[in-house]
Protein backbone atom coordinates (compact mmCIF):
# COMPACT_ATOMS: atom_id res chain seq x y z
CA UNK A 1 0.00 0.00 0.00
CA UNK A 2 3.01 2.33 0.42
CA UNK A 3 3.06 3.07 -3.33
CA UNK A 4 -0.37 4.67 -3.08
CA UNK A 5 0.45 7.14 -0.28
CA UNK A 6 -0.29 10.69 -1.41
CA UNK A 7 -1.84 9.44 -4.64
CA UNK A 8 -5.43 9.26 -5.83
CA UNK A 9 -6.65 5.67 -5.60
CA UNK A 10 -9.05 4.29 -8.17
CA UNK A 11 -11.22 1.50 -6.82
CA UNK A 12 -14.69 -0.02 -6.91
CA UNK A 13 -17.57 1.38 -4.86
CA UNK A 14 -21.32 0.84 -4.71
CA UNK A 15 -22.80 4.23 -5.55
CA UNK A 16 -26.37 5.26 -4.77
CA UNK A 17 -27.24 7.67 -7.56
CA UNK A 18 -30.90 8.22 -6.66
CA UNK A 19 -33.24 7.44 -3.76
CA UNK A 20 -34.49 3.87 -3.85
CA UNK A 21 -32.68 3.02 -7.09
CA UNK A 22 -30.31 0.02 -7.24
CA UNK A 23 -26.74 0.75 -6.22
CA UNK A 24 -24.29 0.75 -9.11
CA UNK A 25 -20.74 -0.63 -8.89
CA UNK A 26 -18.58 2.19 -10.22
CA UNK A 27 -14.89 3.00 -10.43
CA UNK A 28 -14.34 5.96 -8.13
CA UNK A 29 -11.36 8.16 -7.36
CA UNK A 30 -10.48 8.40 -3.67
CA UNK A 31 -8.31 11.40 -2.81
CA UNK A 32 -5.50 11.25 -0.22
CA UNK A 33 -6.41 12.05 3.40
CA UNK A 34 -6.14 15.67 4.51
CA UNK A 35 -5.55 17.13 7.99
CA UNK A 36 -6.74 14.75 10.77
CA UNK A 37 -8.00 12.23 8.21
CA UNK A 38 -7.18 8.61 7.48
CA UNK A 39 -7.59 6.65 4.28
CA UNK A 40 -8.31 2.99 4.82
CA UNK A 41 -8.83 -0.15 2.80
CA UNK A 42 -12.21 -1.66 3.64
CA UNK A 43 -11.96 -5.45 3.83
CA UNK A 44 -15.40 -6.24 5.23
CA UNK A 45 -18.61 -4.26 5.42
CA UNK A 46 -22.05 -5.39 6.48
CA UNK A 47 -25.49 -3.97 5.79
CA UNK A 48 -27.34 -2.09 8.50
CA UNK A 49 -30.99 -1.09 8.22
CA UNK A 50 -29.87 2.53 8.61
CA UNK A 51 -28.18 2.26 5.20
CA UNK A 52 -31.47 1.12 3.69
CA UNK A 53 -33.38 3.89 5.47
CA UNK A 54 -31.20 6.65 4.01
CA UNK A 55 -31.03 4.96 0.63
CA UNK A 56 -34.83 5.06 0.46
CA UNK A 57 -34.75 8.72 1.61
CA UNK A 58 -38.46 8.76 2.39
CA UNK A 59 -38.26 10.90 5.49
CA UNK A 60 -34.95 12.74 5.31
CA UNK A 61 -33.05 15.22 3.22
CA UNK A 62 -31.91 13.29 0.10
CA UNK A 63 -28.16 13.59 -0.43
CA UNK A 64 -27.14 11.94 -3.71
CA UNK A 65 -25.05 10.60 -5.40
CA UNK A 66 -23.68 8.97 -2.29
CA UNK A 67 -21.61 6.06 -1.03
CA UNK A 68 -23.43 4.47 1.88
CA UNK A 69 -22.13 2.02 4.49
CA UNK A 70 -20.90 2.42 8.06
CA UNK A 71 -20.56 -1.03 9.68
CA UNK A 72 -17.15 -2.26 8.59
CA UNK A 73 -13.55 -3.19 9.31
CA UNK A 74 -10.39 -2.29 7.46
CA UNK A 75 -6.69 -1.48 7.44
CA UNK A 76 -5.10 1.98 7.42
CA UNK A 77 -3.52 2.78 4.06
CA UNK A 78 -2.25 6.29 4.83
CA UNK A 79 -2.76 9.14 7.27
CA UNK A 80 -3.07 12.89 6.87
CA UNK A 81 -1.41 15.79 8.66
CA UNK A 82 -1.76 15.75 12.44
CA UNK A 83 -2.66 12.06 12.78
CA UNK A 84 -0.39 10.50 15.39
CA UNK A 85 -2.44 7.70 16.94
CA UNK A 86 -2.69 5.57 13.80
CA UNK A 87 -0.13 4.39 11.25
CA UNK A 88 -0.41 2.50 7.96
CA UNK A 89 -1.17 -1.16 8.60
CA UNK A 90 -3.26 -0.61 11.73
CA UNK A 91 -6.55 -2.52 11.89
CA UNK A 92 -9.51 -0.24 12.56
CA UNK A 93 -13.27 -0.02 12.85
CA UNK A 94 -15.02 3.10 11.51
CA UNK A 95 -17.46 4.69 13.96
CA UNK A 96 -20.20 7.06 12.78
CA UNK A 97 -20.33 8.94 16.10
CA UNK A 98 -16.73 9.91 16.69
CA UNK A 99 -14.78 11.60 19.48
CA UNK A 100 -12.57 14.64 19.15
CA UNK A 101 -11.51 14.00 22.78
CA UNK A 102 -11.38 17.73 23.53
CA UNK A 103 -14.97 19.03 23.71
CA UNK A 104 -17.14 19.05 26.84
CA UNK A 105 -19.15 16.05 25.62
CA UNK A 106 -16.06 13.93 25.01
CA UNK A 107 -14.76 14.76 28.49
CA UNK A 108 -18.10 13.98 30.12
CA UNK A 109 -19.01 10.56 31.49
CA UNK A 110 -22.68 11.22 30.68
CA UNK A 111 -22.54 11.90 26.94
CA UNK A 112 -20.73 10.84 23.80
CA UNK A 113 -22.35 13.39 21.49
CA UNK A 114 -19.09 15.01 20.38
CA UNK A 115 -19.53 18.65 19.37
CA UNK A 116 -17.34 18.11 16.30
CA UNK A 117 -17.99 14.54 15.22
CA UNK A 118 -21.53 13.70 16.33
CA UNK A 119 -23.52 11.95 13.63
CA UNK A 120 -24.72 14.26 10.87
CA UNK A 121 -26.73 12.46 8.20
CA UNK A 122 -27.03 15.54 5.99
CA UNK A 123 -23.31 16.24 5.72
CA UNK A 124 -21.86 14.62 2.63
CA UNK A 125 -18.40 16.16 2.82
CA UNK A 126 -15.36 16.15 5.09
CA UNK A 127 -15.19 18.54 8.04
CA UNK A 128 -11.70 19.85 7.30
CA UNK A 129 -12.45 21.64 4.03
CA UNK A 130 -16.08 20.92 3.16
CA UNK A 131 -15.04 18.81 0.18
CA UNK A 132 -15.69 15.19 -0.76
CA UNK A 133 -12.79 12.76 -1.11
CA UNK A 134 -14.78 10.70 -3.64
CA UNK A 135 -15.30 11.57 -7.30
CA UNK A 136 -16.10 10.07 -10.67
CA UNK A 137 -14.62 11.90 -13.67
CA UNK A 138 -14.32 15.03 -11.54
CA UNK A 139 -17.90 14.88 -10.25
CA UNK A 140 -18.07 14.73 -6.42
CA UNK A 141 -19.72 11.72 -4.80
CA UNK A 142 -20.98 12.42 -1.30
CA UNK A 143 -19.97 10.69 1.93
CA UNK A 144 -22.38 9.05 4.40
CA UNK A 145 -22.13 9.67 8.18
CA UNK A 146 -18.39 10.21 7.78
CA UNK A 147 -17.65 6.59 6.89
CA UNK A 148 -18.89 5.44 3.43
CA UNK A 149 -17.75 1.83 3.73
CA UNK A 150 -19.42 0.55 0.54
CA UNK A 151 -16.13 1.37 -1.17
CA UNK A 152 -12.85 -0.54 -1.38
CA UNK A 153 -11.14 2.58 0.00
CA UNK A 154 -12.60 5.40 2.06
CA UNK A 155 -11.44 8.49 3.95
CA UNK A 156 -12.51 9.01 7.56
CA UNK A 157 -11.75 11.58 10.27
CA UNK A 158 -9.29 10.04 12.72
CA UNK A 159 -11.75 10.61 15.56
CA UNK A 160 -14.18 8.25 13.84
CA UNK A 161 -11.82 5.27 13.90
CA UNK A 162 -11.19 2.73 16.65
CA UNK A 163 -7.91 0.85 16.56
CA UNK A 164 -8.33 -2.87 17.25
CA UNK A 165 -6.15 -5.90 17.90
CA UNK A 166 -4.76 -7.14 14.55
CA UNK A 167 -5.52 -10.72 15.64
CA UNK A 168 -9.27 -9.99 15.74
CA UNK A 169 -11.05 -11.52 12.69
CA UNK A 170 -12.20 -8.55 10.62
CA UNK A 171 -15.09 -10.48 9.09
CA UNK A 172 -16.52 -10.97 12.59
CA UNK A 173 -15.68 -7.74 14.41
CA UNK A 174 -17.04 -5.49 11.65
CA UNK A 175 -20.42 -5.67 13.42
CA UNK A 176 -18.81 -3.99 16.44
CA UNK A 177 -18.63 -0.91 14.24
CA UNK A 178 -22.38 -0.33 14.64
CA UNK A 179 -24.91 -2.97 15.67
CA UNK A 180 -23.15 -4.50 18.66
CA UNK A 181 -21.77 -1.26 20.08
CA UNK A 182 -25.14 0.45 19.61
CA UNK A 183 -27.11 -2.10 21.63
CA UNK A 184 -24.45 -2.77 24.24
CA UNK A 185 -23.71 0.92 24.66
CA UNK A 186 -27.36 1.94 24.95
CA UNK A 187 -27.94 -0.44 27.83
CA UNK A 188 -24.74 0.34 29.67
CA UNK A 189 -25.39 4.08 29.37
CA UNK A 190 -28.83 3.47 30.90
CA UNK A 191 -26.93 2.05 33.93
CA UNK A 192 -29.22 -0.75 35.10
CA UNK A 193 -28.25 -1.73 38.62
CA UNK A 194 -27.35 -5.20 39.82
CA UNK A 195 -30.48 -7.26 40.38
CA UNK A 196 -32.68 -4.90 38.37
CA UNK A 197 -35.12 -5.74 35.57
CA UNK A 198 -34.68 -4.74 31.93
CA UNK A 199 -37.02 -5.07 28.95
CA UNK A 200 -35.45 -5.35 25.48
CA UNK A 201 -37.72 -4.67 22.49
CA UNK A 202 -36.39 -6.59 19.49
CA UNK A 203 -34.01 -9.53 19.17
CA UNK A 204 -31.93 -8.58 16.18
CA UNK A 205 -28.20 -7.88 16.46
CA UNK A 206 -28.83 -4.64 18.35
CA UNK A 207 -31.30 -6.30 20.71
CA UNK A 208 -28.96 -9.20 21.48
CA UNK A 209 -26.17 -6.73 22.22
CA UNK A 210 -28.52 -4.74 24.47
CA UNK A 211 -29.34 -7.92 26.36
CA UNK A 212 -25.64 -8.64 26.76
CA UNK A 213 -25.21 -5.14 28.20
CA UNK A 214 -27.96 -5.83 30.73
CA UNK A 215 -26.30 -9.13 31.64
CA UNK A 216 -22.92 -7.45 32.11
CA UNK A 217 -24.56 -4.83 34.35
CA UNK A 218 -25.97 -7.61 36.54
CA UNK A 219 -29.67 -7.38 35.74
CA UNK A 220 -31.55 -10.35 37.20
CA UNK A 221 -34.53 -10.22 34.84
CA UNK A 222 -33.99 -9.54 31.15
CA UNK A 223 -37.31 -9.71 29.34
CA UNK A 224 -37.31 -9.67 25.58
CA UNK A 225 -40.22 -8.62 23.41
CA UNK A 226 -40.21 -9.95 19.85
CA UNK A 227 -42.67 -11.25 17.26
CA UNK A 228 -40.42 -14.20 16.41
CA UNK A 229 -40.47 -16.83 19.15
CA UNK A 230 -37.71 -18.88 17.48
CA UNK A 231 -35.18 -16.26 18.52
CA UNK A 232 -35.59 -16.91 22.23
CA UNK A 233 -33.27 -19.93 22.52
CA UNK A 234 -30.35 -18.05 20.96
CA UNK A 235 -31.13 -15.02 23.10
CA UNK A 236 -30.62 -17.03 26.28
CA UNK A 237 -26.89 -17.07 25.48
CA UNK A 238 -26.94 -13.27 25.81
CA UNK A 239 -28.67 -13.25 29.18
CA UNK A 240 -32.35 -13.07 28.23
CA UNK A 241 -34.38 -14.77 30.96
CA UNK A 242 -37.94 -14.32 29.71
CA UNK A 243 -39.68 -13.90 26.37
CA UNK A 244 -42.90 -12.10 25.47
CA UNK A 245 -44.54 -12.29 22.05
CA UNK A 246 -47.10 -9.47 21.66
CA UNK A 247 -49.12 -11.67 19.28
CA UNK A 248 -49.91 -14.02 22.18
CA UNK A 249 -51.89 -11.37 24.05
CA UNK A 250 -55.03 -9.35 23.43
CA UNK A 251 -53.79 -6.44 25.57
CA UNK A 252 -50.89 -4.04 24.98
CA UNK A 253 -47.51 -5.67 25.63
CA UNK A 254 -46.52 -2.90 28.05
CA UNK A 255 -49.44 -3.93 30.25
CA UNK A 256 -48.29 -7.55 30.10
CA UNK A 257 -44.80 -6.57 31.23
CA UNK A 258 -46.17 -4.31 33.97
CA UNK A 259 -48.17 -7.25 35.33
CA UNK A 260 -45.15 -9.55 35.12
CA UNK A 261 -42.99 -7.14 37.08
CA UNK A 262 -45.43 -5.66 39.59
CA UNK A 263 -45.59 -2.27 37.93
CA UNK A 264 -42.91 -2.19 35.25
CA UNK A 265 -39.23 -2.83 34.58
CA UNK A 266 -36.39 -0.65 35.86
CA UNK A 267 -35.03 -0.01 32.36
CA UNK A 268 -36.49 -0.43 28.88
CA UNK A 269 -34.43 -0.50 25.69
CA UNK A 270 -36.11 -0.25 22.27
CA UNK A 271 -34.06 -1.84 19.46
CA UNK A 272 -36.35 -1.97 16.43
CA UNK A 273 -36.96 1.62 15.38
CA UNK A 274 -40.69 0.79 15.11
CA UNK A 275 -42.98 3.50 16.49
CA UNK A 276 -45.34 1.03 18.18
CA UNK A 277 -42.40 -0.59 19.96
CA UNK A 278 -41.15 2.84 21.04
CA UNK A 279 -44.55 3.65 22.55
CA UNK A 280 -44.65 0.32 24.37
CA UNK A 281 -41.13 0.74 25.71
Amino acid sequence: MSSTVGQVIRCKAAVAWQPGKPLVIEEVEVAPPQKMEVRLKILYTSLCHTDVYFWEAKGQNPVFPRILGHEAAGIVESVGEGVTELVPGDHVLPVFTGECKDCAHCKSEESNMCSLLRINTDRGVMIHDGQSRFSINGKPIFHFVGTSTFSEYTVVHVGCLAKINPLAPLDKVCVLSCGISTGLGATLVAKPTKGSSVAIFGLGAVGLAAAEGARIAGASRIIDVDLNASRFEEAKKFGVTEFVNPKDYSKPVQRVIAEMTDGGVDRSVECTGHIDAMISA
Side-chain angles (χ1 to χ4, degrees), residues 37-236:
E37 295 174 1
V38 175
R39 186 164 61 183
L40 58 144
K41 180 179 178 65
I42 297 294
L43 297 184
Y44 295 93
T45 185
S46 52
L47 178 65
C48 172
H49 192 268
T50 300
D51 297 308
V52 177
Y53 181 73
F54 283 93
W55 165 68
E56 292 176 333
K58 293 180 178 178
Q60 335 81 25
N61 181 33
V63 181
F64 294 91
R66 198 172 210 179
I67 297 175
L68 299 165
H70 62 281
E71 190 173 72
I75 299 177
V76 173
E77 175 270 338
S78 60
V79 301
E81 177 189 347
V83 176
T84 58
E85 55 264 62
L86 292 173
V87 297
D90 281 345
H91 289 208
V92 293
L93 301 177
V95 183
F96 56 83
T97 298
E99 293 184 353
C100 70
K101 300 181 181 178
D102 292 323
C103 72
H105 286 283
C106 285
K107 293 179 179 179
S108 168
E109 294 184 0
E110 301 300 325
S111 169
N112 70 333
M113 298 303 291
C114 175
S115 298
L116 179 67
L117 299 174
R118 70 177 61 189
I119 186 171
N120 184 335
T121 58
D122 290 338
R123 186 178 63 235
V125 294
M126 299 301 291
I127 291 174
H128 171 60
D129 58 3
Q131 301 294 315
S132 173
R133 302 290 175 259
F134 297 112
S135 62
I136 296 179
N137 297 324
K139 176 181 175 62
I141 305 297
F142 294 115
H143 295 250
F144 176 64
V145 295
T147 53
S148 291
T149 61
F150 290 174
S151 175
E152 292 178 314
Y153 286 85
T154 188
V155 177
V156 178
H157 190 284
V158 66
C160 291
L161 290 171
K163 182 178 177 180
I164 62 172
N165 189 321
L167 297 179
L170 296 179
D171 61 331
K172 304 290 194 305
V173 298
C174 62
V175 294
L176 287 168
S177 186
C178 174
I180 304 304
S181 57
T182 298
L184 187 77
T187 307
L188 294 178
V189 168
K191 298 179 181 179
T193 57
K194 188 173 183 179
S196 62
S197 58
V198 179
I200 308 290
F201 286 75
L203 267 183
V206 176
L208 290 174
E212 176 69 6
R215 186 196 65 78
I216 291 172
S220 60
R221 296 185 72 179
I222 303 174
I223 305 168
D224 193 84
V225 181
D226 199 281
L227 297 175
N228 188 346
S230 65
R231 292 177 169 180
F232 182 40
E233 283 302 313
E234 186 69 20
K236 290 179 181 178

Side-chain angles (χ1 to χ4, degrees), residues 219-276:
S220 60
R221 296 185 72 179
I222 303 174
I223 305 168
D224 193 84
V225 181
D226 199 281
L227 297 175
N228 188 346
S230 65
R231 292 177 169 180
F232 182 40
E233 283 302 313
E234 186 69 20
K236 290 179 181 178
K237 300 176 184 178
F238 295 83
V240 173
T241 59
E242 298 160 76
F243 179 82
V244 175
N245 188 335
K247 293 189 295 185
D248 294 339
Y249 300 90
S250 58
K251 52 189 168 185
V253 70
Q254 59 265 40
R255 188 181 302 173
V256 174
I257 294 175
E259 292 172 355
M260 290 171 59
T261 56
D262 192 25
V265 290
D266 298 300
R267 298 288 187 274
S268 187
V269 186
E270 196 284 312
C271 303
T272 70
H274 194 282
I275 292 178
D276 290 340

